[in-house]
Amino acid sequence: ILNVEQSPQSLHVQEGDSTNFTCSFPSSNFYALHWYRWETAKSPEALFVMTLNGDEKKKGRISATLNTKEGYSYLYIKGSQPEDSATYLCAFCSGGSYIPTFGRGTSLIVHP
Amino acid sequence: NAGVTQTPKFRVLKTGQSMTLLCAQDMNHEYMYWYRQDPGMGLRLIHYSVGEGTTAKGEVPDGYNVSRLKKQNFLLGLESAAPSQTSVYFCASSYPRTFGGTEAFFGQGTRLTVV
């Protein structure tokens, strides 16, 4: 079982705050790292697929970075809005199986 | 384009009953997965399939069986339901083996309660 850790487990911020989360994964046999956004009562939806060390991806106010050598990825949200409230999941795919192994997620609540 | 469709969306079972959850995808994806989601546990892989006619165990396979007779369908069976199988079940599919692969696309989930 691959060890994929996310921190913090939950986060409460005020509207307009910027925030970031961490995903740690095995540094060997890397294939891809995914970030998903999961709103309550909905299905997870992909934000980013990251494959190369040093990758930086951006979608609106959300961005992510990747360090495969040390085994971590950061997700940043700039100027959080209440609609950003969701659980953010990362998933690690190894080169052996390609199967996404998910972390437990970071629950973000943005207060107006 | 429907993506990934799960049926049923909700189900209540009595202990010992059996049922089958159906997952269908129309994206011609090779890989399909069944996950369960429990509070504080994230998504845990039950079984997966890397192609038609193949299945494999994931992290928490006990009490479940699967079949993938057609590429577009992945069935999850509970032979004798137990209260510990009360959970939300998600099916997903992906096409991982091109360079970089694709992300997983999820169905809408099945909320199963075993009483």
Side-chain angles (χ1 to χ4, degrees):
Chain A
I1 297 175
L2 299 172
N3 194 24
V4 181
E5 300 284 344
Q6 290 189 246
S7 63
Q9 185 175 352
S10 65
L11 198 53
H12 289 251
V13 301
Q14 292 297 126
E15 184 175 353
D17 288 350
S18 294
T19 187
N20 64 86
F21 327 131
T22 303
C23 174
S24 301
F25 51 86
S27 57
S28 60
N29 206 14
F30 176 88
Y31 180 71
L33 191 284
H34 303 168
W35 281 100
Y36 295 82
R37 171 190 163 88
W38 192 5
E39 293 182 70
T40 303
K42 293 186 178 180
S43 305
E45 290 186 352
L47 288 169
F48 305 115
V49 174
M50 309 182 79
T51 57
L52 297 175
N53 185 45
D55 251 356
E56 292 188 19
K57 301 274 188 178
K58 187 174 181 182
K59 184 179 291 187
R61 294 179 290 100
I62 305 177
S63 60
T65 61
L66 178 67
N67 184 324
T68 62
K69 296 188 185 306
E70 296 183 39
Y72 65 84
S73 176
Y74 295 137
L75 188 78
Y76 301 91
I77 302 179
K78 184 178 178 182
S80 303
Q81 300 297 309
E83 57 265 31
D84 295 328
S85 297
T87 296
Y88 292 83
L89 297 170
C90 70
F92 169 75
C93 301
S94 75
S97 72
Y98 310 107
I99 306 298
T101 298
F102 285 84
R104 296 187 179 190
T106 293
S107 173
L108 173 68
I109 297 174
V110 182
H111 298 278
Chain B
N1 190 344
V4 180
T5 303
Q6 287 181 235
T7 53
K9 292 184 175 57
F10 304 94
R11 186 74 185 268
V12 178
L13 283 180
K14 293 183 179 179
T15 298
Q17 286 185 318
S18 63
M19 78 165 293
T20 300
L21 283 67
L22 172 63
C23 177
Q25 54 96 2
D26 61 3
M27 296 173 283
N28 202 34
H29 283 168
E30 292 178 48
Y31 283 37
M32 296 187 74
Y33 320 90
W34 277 106
Y35 292 92
R36 60 177 289 173
Q37 184 240 335
D38 302 293
M41 300 299 291
L43 290 169
R44 293 185 294 169
L45 185 65
I46 305 171
H47 285 279
Y48 65 96
S49 168
V50 301
E52 181 178 316
T54 72
T55 63
K57 294 180 180 180
E59 182 185 352
V60 288
D62 294 342
Y64 305 95
N65 56 74
V66 287
S67 65
R68 190 155 178 215
L69 299 178
K70 294 183 178 180
K71 187 176 183 178
Q72 62 268 34
N73 296 336
F74 194 30
L75 278 62
L76 178 71
L78 285 74
E79 290 184 347
S80 180
S84 60
Q85 294 177 303
T86 294
S87 187
V88 181
Y89 292 85
F90 284 96
C91 175
S93 70
S94 70
Y95 192 75
R97 287 187 290 170
T98 55
F99 176 69
T102 69
E103 65 273 34
F105 291 81
F106 285 83
Q108 67 271 49
T110 296
R111 184 173 294 276
L112 175 66
T113 303
V114 182
V115 297

